[in-house]
Amino acid sequence: MAHRTLVVAKMNPEDTEAVAKIWAESDATELPYMVGVSRRTLFRFHGLYFQLVEAEQDITENLYRARSHPLYQDIHTKLARFMTPYDPDWREPKDAMAEAFYTWTPNR
């Protein structure tokens, strides 16, 4: 079973293409491999942005380690033009990560 992380922010729906392009450029680099991302899906809903990150294991430790890397700094700077934190007290990546409180899988 893959590990999933859901990131939530505010985003103007008109910026969808620009944000997707920024992620596509970043995903073509080594950054997703450094963090351990195996799949990324972006969603928008009424001014909200959701990024579902799937990985073989929890990405938190690798994500924090990558924060000082120029590739991380580059995408962070580019995305900041289009997004604002959902939580006004946002300080670090974990402040934008949704907390899972229920999971169901079939017994097969």
Side-chain angles (χ1 to χ4, degrees), residues 15-29 31 40 42 49 71 74-83:
D15 294 330
T16 301
E17 277 187 47
V19 170
K21 182 179 178 192
I22 291 168
W23 274 114
E25 290 171 358
S26 178
D27 287 338
T29 71
L31 186 60
R40 180 184 330 279
L42 305 179
Y49 159 91
L71 289 171
D74 181 60
I75 190 164
H76 180 74
T77 301
K78 288 176 180 175
L79 289 173
R81 295 182 304 182
F82 299 102
M83 286 189 247

Side-chain angles (χ1 to χ4, degrees), residues 1-7 31-39 53-66 93-94 97-100:
M1 165 81 40
H3 187 273
R4 293 178 184 93
T5 302
L6 183 64
V7 178
L31 186 60
Y33 303 100
M34 290 171 45
V35 175
V37 176
S38 56
R39 183 178 179 149
V53 177
E54 296 176 83
E56 293 300 316
Q57 59 190 20
D58 187 345
I59 64 166
T60 305
E61 186 176 320
N62 289 339
L63 178 64
Y64 276 84
R65 210 177 0 251
K94 72 175 184 145
M97 294 178 184
E99 180 182 338

Side-chain angles (χ1 to χ4, degrees), residues 89-100:
D89 296 326
W90 185 95
R91 301 277 183 262
E92 55 186 300
K94 72 175 184 145
D95 296 334
M97 294 178 184
E99 180 182 338

